[in-house]
Amino acid sequence: MTQSKLTPRPQHLLYAAIADIVLVIIFSASGRSSHSEALTAGGVFMTAWPFLVSLAIAWLVCRTWKAPLMIWPQGVCLWLITVAGGMALRILSGRTAEVPFVIVATVVLGIFLLGHRGIARLVAKRSSRP
């Protein structure tokens, strides 16, 4: 089955939106943990908000609702806007975006945002078989 033949269903949309949000929060919490920062709800939110705002913008720009499980182009567009926008908002809010952090964020968010789509596509493809 080609990518275009997987018809988006409401449950795909709900799954993709929730998974994206949860994975951005996990990314933020793991980053705080690896730097021995407090894992309070407020602390995780302070780290996550630039990426969550950028994720929301990316959903709109990429029209992710039209094909929420597609890796290309929706997933890649979503990933790149989330990383770039998240870094820009971090800098604008007075936080840093050192090169190692940009690299790690790009790789981890790529694995998260594209990886869950790949897995979900496989599951959806198998469950649509007779």
Side-chain angles (χ1 to χ4, degrees), residues 7 11 17 31 38 41 47-48 56 59 63 65 75-76 80-81 87 91 127:
T7 306
Q11 62 266 30
T47 302
W59 264 77
R63 298 179 173 184
W65 65 88
V76 172
L80 296 176
I81 290 173
M87 293 303 165
I91 292 167
S127 66

Side-chain angles (χ1 to χ4, degrees), residues 17-93:
I18 291 171
D20 286 346
I21 292 166
V22 168
L23 289 168
V24 167
I25 291 169
I26 290 171
F27 158 74
S28 300
S30 67
R32 291 185 66 79
S33 176
S34 70
H35 293 285
S36 301
E37 294 180 283
L39 288 178
T40 63
V44 172
F45 176 76
M46 288 305 297
T47 302
W49 79 262
F51 297 96
L52 291 171
V53 168
S54 297
L55 178 69
I57 292 167
W59 264 77
L60 295 173
V61 170
C62 303
R63 298 179 173 184
T64 306
W65 65 88
K66 289 187 173 195
L69 301 182
M70 294 287 282
I71 292 173
W72 178 260
Q74 276 83 2
V76 172
C77 176
L78 185 83
W79 163 48
L80 296 176
I81 290 173
T82 300
V83 171
M87 293 303 165
L89 289 173
R90 276 182 64 89
I91 292 167
L92 289 172
S93 67

Side-chain angles (χ1 to χ4, degrees), residues 6 10 14-15 18-19 21 29 37 59 81 95 103 105 116 121 123 125 129:
L6 185 62
L14 183 62
Y15 159 77
I18 291 171
I21 292 166
E37 294 180 283
W59 264 77
I81 290 173
R95 311 246 352 237
I103 292 168
H116 86 82
R121 287 188 61 75
V123 170
K125 184 177 172 182
R129 289 184 183 163

